[in-house]
Amino acid sequence: MQAWIDQLAEALGEDTLSSRETAELLQVARDVAHRVERRITPLATFLLGSAVGRGLAGGASRADAFQAALDTVRSSLPEGPPTEG
């Protein structure tokens, strides 16, 4: 998995993910999948990445932009699993 994601990052012109970033992204994706809806997970991670890019463009460090985006996603999550509607 790590070799493929590193190759993808390189192909997209991005820095590779640190082990901490990987762990944080997988955890927040898991939280979205279980507390919102599984099929929303890729959309949420896309938006998270877009927010990081905006933070970088605004002069934030990658670590700060990443943490701010994670904090926003986490604060938006419902407390428990989705309710049947």
Side-chain angles (χ1 to χ4, degrees):
M1 175 185 85
Q2 191 63 44
W4 183 85
I5 204 70
D6 288 349
Q7 291 171 353
L8 179 60
E10 184 178 323
L12 293 171
E14 297 292 336
D15 293 335
T16 59
L17 297 169
S18 70
S19 58
R20 179 188 161 278
E21 289 170 328
T22 298
E24 294 274 10
L25 283 168
L26 291 173
Q27 182 59 55
V28 80
R30 188 175 303 116
D31 290 343
V32 170
H34 292 285
R35 291 167 57 184
V36 182
E37 186 177 330
R38 184 173 299 250
R39 68 185 186 134
I40 297 299
T41 303
L43 306 175
T45 55
F46 173 82
L47 292 172
L48 187 146
S50 294
V52 172
R54 275 194 320 280
L56 291 170
S61 69
R62 177 171 161 148
D64 288 345
F66 183 66
Q67 190 60 55
L70 282 174
D71 290 346
T72 300
V73 173
R74 287 181 175 139
S75 70
S76 300
L77 290 169
E79 289 298 315
T83 57
E84 296 291 324

Coordinates of all heavy atoms in Angstrom, one line a residue:
M1 N 0.8 -1.2 0.0 CA 0.0 0.0 0.0 C 0.9 1.3 0.0 O 0.6 2.2 -0.8 CB -0.9 0.0 1.2 CG -1.7 1.3 1.3 SD -2.8 1.5 2.8 CE -1.7 2.1 4.0
Q2 N 1.9 1.3 0.9 CA 2.7 2.5 1.0 C 3.4 2.8 -0.3 O 3.5 4.0 -0.7 CB 3.7 2.4 2.2 CG 4.3 3.7 2.5 CD 3.4 4.8 3.0 OE1 2.5 4.5 3.8 NE2 3.5 6.0 2.5
A3 N 4.0 1.8 -1.0 CA 4.7 2.1 -2.2 C 3.7 2.7 -3.3 O 4.1 3.6 -4.0 CB 5.3 0.8 -2.7
W4 N 2.5 2.1 -3.4 CA 1.6 2.6 -4.3 C 1.2 4.1 -4.0 O 1.1 4.9 -4.9 CB 0.3 1.7 -4.4 CG -0.6 2.2 -5.5 CD1 -0.6 1.9 -6.8 CD2 -1.7 3.1 -5.3 NE1 -1.6 2.5 -7.5 CE2 -2.3 3.3 -6.6 CE3 -2.3 3.8 -4.3 CZ2 -3.4 4.1 -6.8 CZ3 -3.4 4.6 -4.5 CH2 -3.9 4.8 -5.7
I5 N 0.9 4.4 -2.8 CA 0.4 5.7 -2.4 C 1.6 6.7 -2.6 O 1.4 7.9 -3.0 CB -0.2 5.8 -1.0 CG1 -1.1 7.0 -0.9 CG2 0.8 5.8 0.1 CD1 -2.4 6.9 -1.7
D6 N 2.8 6.3 -2.4 CA 4.0 7.1 -2.7 C 4.1 7.4 -4.2 O 4.4 8.5 -4.6 CB 5.3 6.5 -2.1 CG 5.4 6.5 -0.6 OD1 4.6 7.2 0.0 OD2 6.3 5.8 -0.1
Q7 N 3.9 6.4 -5.0 CA 3.9 6.6 -6.4 C 2.8 7.5 -6.9 O 3.1 8.3 -7.8 CB 3.8 5.2 -7.1 CG 5.0 4.3 -6.9 CD 4.8 2.9 -7.5 OE1 3.6 2.5 -7.9 NE2 5.8 2.1 -7.5
L8 N 1.7 7.4 -6.3 CA 0.6 8.3 -6.7 C 0.9 9.7 -6.3 O 0.7 10.6 -7.1 CB -0.7 7.8 -6.0 CG -1.9 8.7 -6.3 CD1 -2.3 8.7 -7.8 CD2 -3.1 8.2 -5.5
A9 N 1.4 9.9 -5.1 CA 1.8 11.3 -4.7 C 2.8 11.9 -5.7 O 2.7 13.0 -6.1 CB 2.4 11.2 -3.3
E10 N 3.8 11.1 -6.1 CA 4.8 11.5 -7.0 C 4.2 11.9 -8.4 O 4.4 12.9 -9.0 CB 5.9 10.5 -7.2 CG 7.0 10.9 -8.1 CD 8.1 9.9 -8.3 OE1 8.4 9.2 -7.3 OE2 8.6 9.8 -9.4
A11 N 3.3 11.0 -8.9 CA 2.6 11.2 -10.1 C 1.8 12.5 -10.1 O 1.6 13.2 -11.1 CB 1.7 10.0 -10.5
L12 N 1.2 12.8 -8.9 CA 0.4 14.0 -8.8 C 1.2 15.3 -8.5 O 0.6 16.3 -8.3 CB -0.7 13.8 -7.7 CG -1.8 12.7 -8.1 CD1 -2.6 12.4 -6.9 CD2 -2.6 13.2 -9.3
G13 N 2.5 15.1 -8.3 CA 3.3 16.2 -8.0 C 3.2 16.7 -6.5 O 3.4 17.8 -6.2
E14 N 2.9 15.7 -5.7 CA 2.7 16.0 -4.2 C 3.8 15.4 -3.4 O 4.4 14.4 -3.9 CB 1.4 15.5 -3.8 CG 0.2 16.2 -4.4 CD 0.0 17.6 -4.0 OE1 0.5 18.0 -2.9 OE2 -0.6 18.4 -4.8
D15 N 4.1 15.9 -2.2 CA 5.0 15.3 -1.3 C 4.3 14.0 -0.8 O 3.1 13.9 -0.7 CB 5.3 16.2 -0.1 CG 6.1 17.4 -0.5 OD1 6.8 17.4 -1.5 OD2 6.0 18.4 0.3
T16 N 5.1 13.0 -0.5 CA 4.6 11.8 0.0 C 4.0 12.0 1.4 O 4.4 13.0 2.1 CB 5.6 10.6 0.1 OG1 6.7 11.1 0.9 CG2 6.1 10.3 -1.3
L17 N 3.1 11.2 1.9 CA 2.5 11.3 3.2 C 3.4 10.7 4.2 O 4.0 9.6 4.0 CB 1.2 10.5 3.2 CG 0.1 11.0 2.3 CD1 -1.0 9.9 2.3 CD2 -0.4 12.3 2.7
S18 N 3.5 11.4 5.3 CA 4.3 10.9 6.5 C 3.5 9.7 7.1 O 2.3 9.6 6.9 CB 4.6 12.0 7.5 OG 3.4 12.4 8.1
S19 N 4.1 9.0 8.0 CA 3.4 7.9 8.6 C 2.3 8.5 9.5 O 1.2 7.9 9.7 CB 4.3 7.0 9.4 OG 5.0 7.7 10.4
R20 N 2.5 9.7 10.1 CA 1.5 10.3 11.0 C 0.3 10.8 10.1 O -0.8 10.6 10.5 CB 2.1 11.5 11.7 CG 1.1 12.3 12.6 CD 1.7 13.6 13.1 NE 0.7 14.5 13.5 CZ 0.0 15.3 12.8 NH1 0.2 15.3 11.5 NH2 -1.0 16.0 13.2
E21 N 0.6 11.4 9.0 CA -0.4 11.9 8.1 C -1.3 10.7 7.6 O -2.5 10.8 7.6 CB 0.1 12.6 6.9 CG 0.7 14.0 7.2 CD 1.5 14.6 6.1 OE1 2.1 13.8 5.3 OE2 1.5 15.8 6.0
T22 N -0.6 9.6 7.3 CA -1.3 8.4 6.8 C -2.3 7.9 7.9 O -3.5 7.6 7.7 CB -0.3 7.3 6.4 OG1 0.4 7.8 5.3 CG2 -1.1 6.0 6.0
A23 N -1.8 7.8 9.1 CA -2.6 7.3 10.2 C -3.8 8.2 10.5 O -4.9 7.8 10.7 CB -1.7 7.2 11.5
E24 N -3.5 9.5 10.5 CA -4.6 10.5 10.7 C -5.7 10.5 9.6 O -6.9 10.5 9.9 CB -4.0 11.9 10.8 CG -3.1 12.2 12.0 CD -3.8 12.5 13.3 OE1 -5.1 12.5 13.3 OE2 -3.2 12.9 14.2
L25 N -5.2 10.4 8.4 CA -6.2 10.3 7.3 C -7.0 9.0 7.3 O -8.2 9.1 7.1 CB -5.5 10.4 5.9 CG -5.0 11.8 5.5 CD1 -4.1 11.7 4.3 CD2 -6.2 12.6 5.2
L26 N -6.4 7.9 7.6 CA -7.1 6.7 7.7 C -8.1 6.7 8.9 O -9.2 6.2 8.8 CB -6.2 5.5 7.9 CG -5.4 5.1 6.6 CD1 -4.3 4.1 6.9 CD2 -6.2 4.8 5.4
Q27 N -7.7 7.3 10.0 CA -8.6 7.4 11.1 C -9.8 8.3 10.8 O -11.0 8.0 11.1 CB -7.9 7.9 12.4 CG -8.8 8.0 13.6 CD -9.4 6.7 14.0 OE1 -8.6 5.7 14.2 NE2 -10.7 6.6 14.1
V28 N -9.6 9.5 10.2 CA -10.7 10.4 10.0 C -11.6 9.8 8.9 O -12.8 9.9 8.9 CB -10.2 11.8 9.6 CG1 -9.7 11.9 8.2 CG2 -11.3 12.8 9.9
A29 N -11.0 9.1 7.9 CA -11.8 8.4 6.9 C -12.7 7.3 7.6 O -13.9 7.2 7.2 CB -11.0 7.7 5.8
R30 N -12.1 6.6 8.5 CA -12.9 5.6 9.2 C -14.1 6.2 10.0 O -15.2 5.7 10.0 CB -12.0 4.8 10.2 CG -12.6 3.6 10.9 CD -11.5 2.9 11.7 NE -10.4 2.4 10.9 CZ -9.1 2.9 11.1 NH1 -8.8 3.7 12.0 NH2 -8.2 2.4 10.3
D31 N -13.8 7.3 10.7 CA -14.8 8.1 11.4 C -15.9 8.5 10.5 O -17.1 8.4 10.9 CB -14.2 9.3 12.1 CG -13.3 8.9 13.3 OD1 -13.3 7.7 13.7 OD2 -12.5 9.7 13.7
V32 N -15.6 9.1 9.4 CA -16.6 9.5 8.4 C -17.5 8.3 8.0 O -18.7 8.3 7.9 CB -16.0 10.2 7.2 CG1 -17.1 10.4 6.1 CG2 -15.4 11.6 7.6
A33 N -16.8 7.2 7.6 CA -17.5 6.0 7.1 C -18.5 5.5 8.2 O -19.6 5.0 7.8 CB -16.5 4.9 6.7
H34 N -18.1 5.5 9.4 CA -18.9 4.9 10.5 C -19.9 5.8 11.1 O -20.9 5.4 11.6 CB -18.0 4.2 11.5 CG -17.3 3.0 11.0 ND1 -17.8 1.8 10.8 CD2 -16.0 2.9 10.7 CE1 -16.9 1.0 10.3 NE2 -15.8 1.6 10.3
R35 N -19.6 7.1 11.1 CA -20.4 8.1 11.8 C -21.3 8.9 10.8 O -22.2 9.6 11.3 CB -19.6 9.0 12.7 CG -19.0 8.1 13.8 CD -17.9 8.8 14.6 NE -18.3 10.1 15.2 CZ -17.4 10.9 15.8 NH1 -16.2 10.5 16.0 NH2 -17.8 12.0 16.3
V36 N -21.0 8.9 9.5 CA -21.8 9.6 8.6 C -22.3 8.6 7.6 O -23.4 8.1 7.7 CB -21.0 10.7 7.8 CG1 -21.9 11.5 6.9 CG2 -20.4 11.7 8.8
E37 N -21.5 8.2 6.6 CA -21.9 7.2 5.6 C -20.7 6.8 4.8 O -19.9 7.6 4.4 CB -23.0 7.7 4.7 CG -23.5 6.7 3.8 CD -24.7 7.2 2.9 OE1 -25.4 8.1 3.3 OE2 -24.8 6.7 1.8
R38 N -20.5 5.5 4.6 CA -19.3 5.0 4.0 C -19.1 5.6 2.6 O -18.0 6.0 2.3 CB -19.5 3.5 3.8 CG -18.3 2.8 3.2 CD -18.4 1.3 3.3 NE -18.6 0.9 4.6 CZ -17.7 0.2 5.3 NH1 -16.6 -0.2 4.7 NH2 -17.8 -0.1 6.6
R39 N -20.1 5.8 1.8 CA -19.9 6.3 0.4 C -19.6 7.8 0.4 O -19.2 8.3 -0.6 CB -21.2 6.0 -0.4 CG -22.4 6.8 -0.1 CD -23.6 6.3 -0.9 NE -24.7 7.2 -0.6 CZ -25.5 7.7 -1.5 NH1 -25.3 7.5 -2.8 NH2 -26.5 8.5 -1.1
I40 N -19.7 8.5 1.5 CA -19.3 9.9 1.6 C -17.8 10.0 1.9 O -17.3 11.1 1.7 CB -20.2 10.6 2.8 CG1 -21.6 10.5 2.4 CG2 -19.7 12.0 3.1 CD1 -22.0 11.2 1.2
T41 N -17.2 9.0 2.4 CA -15.8 9.0 2.8 C -14.8 9.6 1.7 O -14.1 10.5 2.0 CB -15.3 7.7 3.2 OG1 -16.1 7.2 4.3 CG2 -13.8 7.7 3.7
P42 N -14.9 9.2 0.4 CA -14.0 9.8 -0.6 C -14.3 11.2 -0.8 O -13.3 12.0 -1.0 CB -14.3 9.0 -1.8 CG -15.1 7.8 -1.5 CD -15.7 8.1 -0.1
L43 N -15.5 11.6 -0.7 CA -15.9 13.0 -0.9 C -15.3 13.9 0.3 O -14.8 15.0 0.0 CB -17.4 13.2 -1.0 CG -18.1 12.3 -2.0 CD1 -19.6 12.5 -1.9 CD2 -17.6 12.6 -3.4
A44 N -15.4 13.4 1.5 CA -14.9 14.1 2.6 C -13.4 14.2 2.5 O -12.8 15.3 2.8 CB -15.3 13.4 3.9
T45 N -12.7 13.2 2.1 CA -11.2 13.2 2.0 C -10.8 14.2 0.9 O -9.8 14.8 1.0 CB -10.6 11.9 1.9 OG1 -11.1 11.2 0.8 CG2 -10.8 11.0 3.2
F46 N -11.6 14.2 -0.2 CA -11.3 15.2 -1.2 C -11.4 16.6 -0.7 O -10.5 17.4 -1.0 CB -12.3 15.0 -2.4 CG -12.1 16.0 -3.5 CD1 -11.1 16.0 -4.4 CD2 -13.0 17.2 -3.5 CE1 -11.0 16.9 -5.4 CE2 -12.8 18.1 -4.4 CZ -11.8 18.0 -5.4
L47 N -12.5 16.9 0.0 CA -12.7 18.2 0.6 C -11.6 18.6 1.6 O -11.1 19.7 1.6 CB -14.1 18.3 1.2 CG -15.2 18.3 0.2 CD1 -16.5 18.2 0.9 CD2 -15.2 19.5 -0.7
L48 N -11.2 17.6 2.4 CA -10.1 17.8 3.3 C -8.8 18.2 2.6 O -8.1 19.1 3.0 CB -9.9 16.5 4.2 CG -8.9 16.6 5.3 CD1 -9.3 15.7 6.4 CD2 -7.5 16.3 4.9
G49 N -8.5 17.5 1.5 CA -7.3 17.8 0.7 C -7.4 19.2 0.1 O -6.4 19.9 0.0
S50 N -8.6 19.5 -0.4 CA -8.8 20.9 -0.9 C -8.5 21.9 0.1 O -7.9 23.0 -0.2 CB -10.2 21.0 -1.5 OG -10.3 20.2 -2.6
A51 N -9.0 21.7 1.3 CA -8.8 22.6 2.4 C -7.3 22.8 2.8 O -6.8 23.9 3.0 CB -9.6 22.2 3.6
V52 N -6.6 21.7 2.7 CA -5.2 21.7 3.0 C -4.5 22.5 1.9 O -3.6 23.4 2.2 CB -4.6 20.3 3.1 CG1 -3.0 20.4 3.1 CG2 -5.1 19.5 4.3
G53 N -4.9 22.3 0.7 CA -4.3 23.1 -0.4 C -4.5 24.6 -0.3 O -3.7 25.4 -0.5
R54 N -5.8 25.0 0.1 CA -6.1 26.4 0.4 C -5.2 26.9 1.5 O -4.7 28.1 1.4 CB -7.5 26.6 0.7 CG -8.4 26.7 -0.5 CD -9.8 27.2 -0.2 NE -10.4 26.7 1.0 CZ -11.0 25.5 1.1 NH1 -11.0 24.7 0.1 NH2 -11.5 25.1 2.3
G55 N -5.0 26.2 2.5 CA -4.2 26.6 3.6 C -2.8 26.8 3.2 O -2.1 27.8 3.6
L56 N -2.2 25.9 2.4 CA -0.9 26.1 1.9 C -0.8 27.3 1.0 O 0.2 28.0 1.1 CB -0.5 24.8 1.1 CG -0.2 23.5 1.9 CD1 -0.1 22.3 0.9 CD2 0.9 23.7 2.8
A57 N -1.8 27.5 0.1 CA -1.8 28.7 -0.7 C -1.8 30.0 0.1 O -1.3 31.0 -0.4 CB -2.9 28.6 -1.7
G58 N -2.4 29.9 1.2 CA -2.5 31.0 2.1 C -1.3 31.3 3.0 O -1.3 32.2 3.8
G59 N -0.3 30.4 2.8 CA 0.9 30.6 3.6 C 1.1 29.7 4.8 O 2.1 29.8 5.5
A60 N 0.1 28.9 5.1 CA 0.3 28.0 6.3 C 1.3 26.8 5.9 O 1.5 26.5 4.8 CB -1.1 27.3 6.6
S61 N 1.9 26.3 7.0 CA 2.7 25.1 6.7 C 1.8 23.9 6.4 O 0.7 23.9 6.8 CB 3.6 24.8 8.0 OG 2.7 24.4 9.0
R62 N 2.4 22.9 5.8 CA 1.6 21.7 5.5 C 1.1 21.1 6.8 O -0.1 20.7 6.9 CB 2.5 20.7 4.8 CG 1.8 19.4 4.5 CD 2.6 18.5 3.6 NE 2.2 17.1 3.7 CZ 2.3 16.3 2.7 NH1 2.8 16.7 1.5 NH2 2.0 15.0 2.8
A63 N 1.9 21.1 7.9 CA 1.4 20.5 9.1 C 0.2 21.3 9.7 O -0.7 20.7 10.2 CB 2.6 20.4 10.1
D64 N 0.3 22.6 9.7 CA -0.7 23.5 10.2 C -2.0 23.4 9.4 O -3.1 23.3 9.9 CB -0.3 24.9 10.3 CG 0.7 25.1 11.5 OD1 0.9 24.2 12.3 OD2 1.4 26.2 11.5
A65 N -1.8 23.4 8.0 CA -3.0 23.3 7.2 C -3.7 21.9 7.3 O -4.9 21.9 7.4 CB -2.6 23.5 5.7
F66 N -2.9 20.9 7.4 CA -3.4 19.5 7.6 C -4.2 19.4 8.9 O -5.3 18.9 9.0 CB -2.3 18.5 7.5 CG -2.7 17.1 7.6 CD1 -3.4 16.5 6.6 CD2 -2.3 16.3 8.7 CE1 -3.8 15.2 6.7 CE2 -2.6 15.0 8.8 CZ -3.4 14.4 7.8
Q67 N -3.6 19.9 10.0 CA -4.2 19.8 11.3 C -5.5 20.6 11.3 O -6.5 20.2 11.9 CB -3.3 20.3 12.4 CG -3.8 20.0 13.8 CD -4.0 18.5 14.0 OE1 -3.1 17.7 13.8 NE2 -5.2 18.1 14.4
A68 N -5.5 21.8 10.7 CA -6.7 22.7 10.7 C -7.8 22.0 10.0 O -9.0 22.0 10.4 CB -6.4 24.0 10.1
A69 N -7.5 21.3 8.8 CA -8.5 20.6 8.1 C -9.1 19.4 8.8 O -10.3 19.2 8.9 CB -8.0 20.2 6.7
L70 N -8.2 18.7 9.5 CA -8.6 17.5 10.3 C -9.5 18.0 11.4 O -10.5 17.3 11.7 CB -7.4 16.8 10.9 CG -6.6 15.9 10.0 CD1 -5.4 15.4 10.8 CD2 -7.4 14.7 9.5
D71 N -9.1 19.0 12.1 CA -9.9 19.6 13.2 C -11.3 19.9 12.7 O -12.3 19.7 13.4 CB -9.3 20.8 13.8 CG -8.0 20.4 14.6 OD1 -7.8 19.2 14.9 OD2 -7.3 21.4 14.9
T72 N -11.4 20.5 11.5 CA -12.7 20.9 11.0 C -13.6 19.7 10.7 O -14.8 19.7 11.0 CB -12.5 21.8 9.7 OG1 -11.8 23.0 10.1 CG2 -13.9 22.2 9.1
V73 N -13.0 18.7 10.0 CA -13.7 17.5 9.7 C -14.2 16.8 11.0 O -15.4 16.5 11.2 CB -12.9 16.5 8.9 CG1 -13.6 15.2 8.7 CG2 -12.5 17.1 7.5
R74 N -13.3 16.7 12.0 CA -13.7 16.0 13.2 C -14.8 16.8 14.0 O -15.7 16.2 14.6 CB -12.4 15.9 14.1 CG -11.5 14.8 13.5 CD -10.3 14.6 14.4 NE -9.5 13.5 13.9 CZ -8.2 13.4 13.8 NH1 -7.5 14.5 14.3 NH2 -7.6 12.4 13.4
S75 N -14.7 18.1 13.9 CA -15.7 18.9 14.7 C -17.1 18.8 13.9 O -18.1 19.1 14.5 CB -15.3 20.3 14.8 OG -15.3 21.0 13.6
S76 N -17.1 18.4 12.7 CA -18.3 18.3 11.9 C -19.0 17.0 12.0 O -20.1 16.8 11.6 CB -18.0 18.6 10.4 OG -17.5 19.9 10.3
L77 N -18.3 16.0 12.6 CA -18.8 14.6 12.7 C -19.9 14.5 13.7 O -19.8 15.1 14.8 CB -17.7 13.7 13.0 CG -16.7 13.4 11.9 CD1 -15.5 12.6 12.5 CD2 -17.3 12.7 10.8
P78 N -21.0 13.8 13.4 CA -22.0 13.5 14.5 C -21.4 12.7 15.6 O -20.3 12.0 15.4 CB -23.1 12.8 13.7 CG -22.5 12.3 12.5 CD -21.3 13.1 12.2
E79 N -22.0 12.7 16.7 CA -21.5 12.0 17.9 C -21.4 10.5 17.7 O -20.5 9.8 18.2 CB -22.3 12.3 19.1 CG -22.0 13.7 19.6 CD -20.6 14.0 20.0 OE1 -20.0 13.1 20.7 OE2 -20.1 15.0 19.7
G80 N -22.4 9.9 17.1 CA -22.4 8.4 16.9 C -22.7 8.0 15.5 O -22.7 8.8 14.6
P81 N -23.0 6.7 15.3 CA -23.3 6.3 14.0 C -24.6 6.9 13.4 O -25.4 7.4 14.2 CB -23.5 4.8 14.2 CG -23.7 4.5 15.6 CD -23.1 5.7 16.4
P82 N -24.7 6.9 12.1 CA -25.9 7.5 11.5 C -27.1 6.9 11.9 O -27.2 5.7 12.2 CB -25.6 7.4 10.0 CG -24.6 6.3 9.8 CD -23.8 6.3 11.1
T83 N -28.2 7.6 12.0 CA -29.5 7.1 12.3 C -30.2 6.7 11.0 O -30.0 7.4 10.0 CB -30.3 8.1 13.1 OG1 -30.5 9.3 12.4 CG2 -29.7 8.4 14.5
E84 N -31.0 5.7 11.1 CA -31.8 5.3 9.9 C -32.9 6.4 9.7 O -33.5 6.8 10.7 CB -32.5 4.0 10.2 CG -31.5 2.8 10.3 CD -30.8 2.5 9.1 OE1 -31.4 2.5 8.0 OE2 -29.6 2.1 9.1
G85 N -33.0 6.8 8.5 CA -34.0 7.9 8.3 C -35.0 7.5 7.4 O -36.0 8.0 7.0

